Amino acid sequence: MTFKRTCDVERQDQYTIEFDESVLNEEWMEQFRETFYDFTTLTEHAEHIAQFRARNGSKFIEGYGIPLENGKAPRWADMKDVNKAINIIDGNASMDVYSY
């Protein structure tokens, strides 16, 4: 006999993304656009980074490196890959599971 249950997971994460605008300035954004995405605002970058974080957790992000987490480099990170101009602050998170 096989037991089978379908579960829907509803998740909401909250992140505050901080940028050092003296580093992530218009010149940086122009260079970023040449290789990666056609983002023209820091808001677009923040939304992309938050979505990546929600989907993939704490990892290297192509085009950005490894952001700080709550103001600190992740323990697992190689410091040469850490981008100190980007800080992800973890906020509230919630999850609900529904099975039927």
Side-chain angles (χ1 to χ4, degrees):
M1 184 182 295
T2 301
F3 176 82
K4 190 178 199 180
R5 177 72 64 186
T6 300
C7 299
D8 292 336
V9 177
E10 194 172 289
R11 173 178 145 173
Q12 182 169 347
D13 296 349
Q14 181 183 65
Y15 305 106
T16 300
I17 313 297
E18 294 180 331
F19 297 109
D20 181 341
E21 292 179 85
S22 67
V23 176
L24 278 68
N25 54 26
E26 186 54 41
E27 180 181 335
W28 177 88
M29 282 202 260
E30 285 176 24
Q31 292 174 350
F32 184 93
R33 282 191 294 269
E34 288 176 11
T35 306
F36 299 102
Y37 302 102
D38 193 27
F39 297 157
T40 58
T41 66
L42 290 176
T43 298
E44 291 172 301
H45 287 280
E47 290 170 352
H48 178 73
I49 291 168
Q51 183 182 107
F52 183 94
R53 176 63 174 256
R55 291 176 185 256
N56 302 300
S58 178
K59 293 185 177 187
F60 179 92
I61 305 173
E62 192 70 34
Y64 302 98
I66 300 169
L68 296 173
E69 296 178 352
N70 299 311
K72 298 178 183 174
R75 284 186 238 178
W76 55 267
D78 187 336
M79 287 307 292
K80 71 177 176 48
D81 295 326
V82 174
N83 186 342
K84 295 177 184 169
I86 302 172
N87 183 30
I88 300 175
I89 300 168
D90 285 322
N92 295 327
S94 63
M95 186 178 306
D96 294 311
V97 179
Y98 308 96
S99 62
Y100 47 94

